[in-house]
Amino acid sequence: MSEVADWVGVSSPAVDGEITAVSSIEAATLTSLVFAVDPAALAAAVASPAGVILAGQTLKGTEDSRVWRVADPRYAFAIVAKKLKGKGFEAGIHPSAVVGEGVEIGTGTSIGPGAVIGDAVRIGKDCNILARVTLYPKTVLGDRVVVQAGAVLGSTGFGYVRNAETGEYVVFPQQGSLHVEDDVEIGANSTIDRGALGETRIGRGTKIDNLVHIGHNCVIGKNVIIAAQTGISGSSVVEDGAILGGQVGIGEHATVGAGVILGGGAGVLSGKKMRGPGQVFWGRPARPLKEYLRDLARLRKG
């Protein structure tokens, strides 16, 4: 119990026993840890057999010794869940995986069934590469990277040069690399292109949902959230801490500034720069939320 208390920053817990799992309040047992974010949830948790209840510092309620006060119950709950689970996978290369020449794989890493690891790929420590992932040559993964099933990393970017006289398209060289930093998670069937002449880079701690596409030469900052079905065109930049909702579309050479929030379905025009930490943009083309809502109101009146 004291170890769990250390994980969430609680000193001298007033309860004994063992915590073996996290759970919902409804499914709690004597060895479960649960969380409550409002008075109703706290009352339900206290009425349950849960061994430990995480609650906010300012949430009023019972003085039950099982209630541990923390700054953010949901975050603390997630930390405990992660610690209890451990890595959740065993290191090793599945017999059906295909591993090219000159590949470097760090200790503690798992390569799943049907995965294809191209020549000269480098994979860090404690990574989890799941079934049928494809890593093209020149792809570099840091430590503790998770790549869900079917993702394709380091593929050829969609870059062509047009002959103005004949209309013929010729592929522009796509010979760069992809670098994914530590603690990045990439969802199922997502695709990230390698750079054309330089590199595509995904910053540390960024989380990418399923069915996301990131084009060549993009730079994604640290701790960015990208929800499903988002598409980011080549040479765009998403800075640290930005949040991109589902089905966001970003044109080429655009910039989404640090801490910017793009609502679901937002569209950012090519070359556009969206700035303002905490600023919410919505619509197609994306604009500040208040402006977007005013535009909707005008349409209704019209």
Side-chain angles (χ1 to χ4, degrees):
M1 188 71 76
S2 60
E3 186 177 28
V4 176
D6 288 341
W7 295 341
V8 298
V10 173
S11 59
S12 304
V15 290
D16 296 321
E18 183 180 17
I19 295 298
T20 61
V22 297
S23 78
S24 65
I25 293 172
E26 295 77 12
T29 68
L30 293 173
T31 59
S32 297
L33 178 141
V34 302
F35 74 98
V37 295
D38 56 53
L42 181 56
V46 169
S48 79
V52 169
I53 303 162
L54 300 177
Q57 302 281 8
T58 60
L59 183 59
K60 297 179 180 180
T62 180
E63 296 302 320
D64 192 306
S65 61
R66 296 174 299 157
V67 177
W68 293 2
R69 301 290 180 170
V70 294
D72 185 339
R74 288 178 61 87
Y75 182 80
F77 182 84
I79 290 294
V80 174
K82 183 176 181 179
K83 294 284 190 180
L84 290 175
K85 181 181 178 181
K87 287 201 307 182
F89 58 88
E90 294 183 2
I93 301 173
H94 194 276
S96 65
V98 178
V99 179
E101 297 181 358
V103 172
E104 298 178 17
I105 299 175
T107 58
T109 286
S110 171
I111 308 295
V116 178
I117 312 300
D119 295 344
V121 165
R122 289 187 288 152
I123 303 173
K125 301 175 183 177
D126 297 321
C127 294
N128 191 12
I129 311 302
L130 285 108
R132 302 190 182 281
V133 166
T134 299
L135 304 182
Y136 277 68
K138 296 186 179 180
T139 297
V140 179
L141 305 186
D143 298 336
R144 300 172 301 281
V145 172
V146 176
V147 186
Q148 299 286 349
V152 179
L153 307 186
S155 50
T156 301
F158 192 69
Y160 295 87
V161 181
R162 184 176 182 271
N163 185 314
E165 295 181 0
T166 67
E168 177 189 12
Y169 285 91
V170 177
V171 66
F172 189 83
Q174 302 292 312
Q175 60 194 36
S177 61
L178 168 62
H179 193 119
V180 179
E181 297 181 2
D182 297 347
D183 301 304
V184 169
E185 298 185 14
I186 299 169
N189 293 324
S190 288
T191 56
I192 305 176
D193 294 339
R194 66 177 178 263
L197 302 179
E199 71 170 15
T200 301
R201 179 169 288 265
I202 311 298
R204 180 172 186 154
T206 284
K207 312 301 181 189
I208 299 170
D209 199 357
N210 302 333
L211 297 169
V212 169
H213 175 68
I214 298 175
H216 60 274
N217 290 96
C218 285
V219 177
I220 309 299
K222 299 176 182 178
N223 299 315
V224 171
I225 293 291
I226 305 176
Q229 299 183 357
T230 288
I232 304 176
S233 299
S235 300
S236 287
V237 176
V238 180
E239 296 179 352
D240 296 353
I243 298 174
L244 279 54
Q247 297 187 329
V248 164
I250 298 177
E252 61 184 0
H253 296 277
T255 299
V256 177
V260 164
I261 301 170
L262 296 180
V268 178
L269 298 175
S270 296
K272 185 73 173 178
K273 291 179 170 57
M274 318 295 287
R275 299 288 188 187
Q279 179 80 276
V280 179
F281 295 86
W282 219 298
R284 290 178 179 265
R287 49 214 187 269
L289 180 58
K290 289 183 179 179
E291 181 180 331
Y292 171 70
L293 293 175
R294 282 198 301 267
D295 291 343
L296 284 182
R298 292 191 191 102
L299 287 174
R300 290 194 190 98
K301 291 179 181 178

